[in-house]
Structures are given as C-alpha cells and as structure tokens.
Amino acid sequence: MQDEAGHGLYLYSAAETLGVSRDELLELLHNGKMKYSSIFNYPTLNWADIGTVGWLVDGAAIMNQVQLQKTSYGPYSRAMIRICKEESFHQRQGYDILLKMCLQGTPEQKAMAQDAMNRFWYPALMMFGPSDKDSVHSAQSMQWKIKINTNDELRQKFVDQTVPQAEYLGLTIPDPNLKWNEEKGGYDFSEPDWDEFFDVIAGNGPCNAERMDARITAWEDGAWFREGLMAHAKKQDARRAAARMAAE
C-alpha cells in the first residue's frame, strides 16, 4: 500500500510540473472526468488473487511502463524509472505466492489459483488499452514519443512472456484459441471483450461505485488533517518571516 501511494506521489508531482495542482486532479478523479486503469474495478476474493494480481497485473503494468522510462518528458520518465523498480518486486512476490500454491500447495489451493487466473487474464490484457485501430490516444502517443510501442505490440509481448510462466505453474490460460504461431514467432490469442472494457471505463464495472465511494469518503474524512497541516505550514512561514525581519 505504501509503495502504491508512492507511485501516485511521483505521478501527481510530475503532473504538477505541467501547471495542474494535485487538488485539481483529485477533483477530476472524484467527479468522473479523469479516468484510471480499468483493472482497479475488479474484486479480489481470496489469497490467490493477491498472487495473481502481483504476477499478471503488475507484470502488465511493467510491460507498459518500461517503455515510458524513455519517454520524451523528463519528470514523467524519472518517475517511471522508480516505479518500474518497485513494480518488479511486486511481480516477483506475486509469482512466488503462486509457486507456493501451485507447486507445493494442496489441490484446493491450486484450484483457487486457477480460478484467479480465469478471472484476471482478460482484465490484465485490457490494461494495455484498446486495440490500436480503436484507440484514440495510441497514435498520438507514438507520434509525440510518449511511448515507443503500440498497445497491440505490448499485449502480444505480454502474452508471449506469460504463457511459459503459466505452463510452469501448471495453470491453464482461459483461452481456447491460444496457440503458438511459428510464422510470427508468437502466440495467437483471443481479444478481450472490449465492450466490457469500455463499460468499466464508463463507470459500470463490478467495483466502480464501491471503490470510488471509498476514495471520496477517505478524501472527505481526511479534510481536517489537510487543513491542520496547511494551518501549521502558514504558522511556520509566519514565524520564519518574523525572524527574518527581526534579523534585518
């Protein structure tokens, strides 16, 4: 949790260099005008989900973010370098959980891991964004050198990397169309349900309302603390200004 809060801090700080305040960005988030990753609107039901999220979700995040370390905007690039180092730990931790469950655990634990795989495989594929032919941002991001690989290229790379890992765990990827394509040197696979993706992004996912309500409640409940910090900062500034005037 602390790690992820730190990632948010890096990115809000990078956005502030473009002239937008953190409070403005949070207001946009709370009123639904600013979007966030669709993956955060799916439930985590058990311990296997923790491992699967670390392995698949953080793995997809790293695949997305490694290229952004070389993005054209310095503050964003530097934030991504730090985030990728931390995400790589999350991924290794998640895969280690599944190694224990699948290779050393009980049949019930392996079944739990398979269930988590069944639920998170396609949401993880959605993390790369819609297919390039349908994406409104992919071409522009490539043109501006915000990223160096397209959504579909990254999705293919993720599948090719992840299939052997799943096979080692003894887990079945829930895609009857998954097969090796010798000609392209990668796997053929089924596209995610993009109608579901856009529905989740629009606010209709299984946990959208619950998680946004929790986020807004936390913001409102913490108002007294933020106000206290600001009042303390103003008091300290006033004391320093008075001290400077006295010294002069």
Side-chain angles (χ1 to χ4, degrees), residues 145-220:
K145 300 187 186 303
I146 296 173
K147 62 182 189 178
I148 57 176
N149 296 105
T150 69
N151 297 350
D152 290 330
E153 288 172 347
L154 290 170
R155 197 170 3 262
Q156 181 69 59
K157 186 177 179 181
F158 175 75
V159 172
D160 293 344
Q161 174 181 290
T162 306
V163 170
Q165 297 171 350
E167 291 174 345
Y168 184 78
L169 292 171
L171 296 177
T172 300
I173 291 176
D175 182 357
N177 298 316
L178 182 73
K179 63 179 179 179
W180 178 256
N181 184 324
E182 191 67 40
E183 184 177 346
K184 75 176 184 181
Y187 286 90
D188 293 330
F189 59 94
S190 299
E191 287 285 314
D193 182 349
W194 292 118
D195 288 338
E196 176 185 327
F197 171 80
F198 287 111
D199 198 39
V200 172
I201 290 295
N204 302 314
C207 296
N208 284 70
E210 173 190 346
R211 291 184 175 167
M212 188 54 69
D213 285 347
R215 182 68 187 80
I216 294 171
T217 298
W219 174 256
E220 293 173 347

Side-chain angles (χ1 to χ4, degrees), residues 11-78:
L11 295 176
Y12 278 122
S13 296
E16 285 175 328
T17 66
L18 297 170
V20 59
S21 74
R22 202 168 308 180
D23 285 356
E24 289 175 295
L25 290 173
L26 288 170
E27 183 178 354
L28 291 173
L29 175 65
H30 294 164
N31 64 29
K33 292 182 179 178
M34 189 170 74
K35 305 302 182 184
Y36 56 95
S37 179
S38 60
I39 195 69
F40 294 118
N41 294 303
Y42 289 88
T44 48
L45 306 179
N46 54 49
W47 177 242
D49 286 19
I50 305 304
T52 303
V53 166
W55 171 40
L56 294 181
V57 173
D58 287 293
I62 293 169
M63 195 76 71
N64 256 326
Q65 293 164 345
V66 162
Q67 61 165 343
L68 297 175
Q69 294 178 111
K70 297 180 180 180
T71 191
S72 57
Y73 190 58
Y76 191 34
S77 171
R78 290 188 289 274

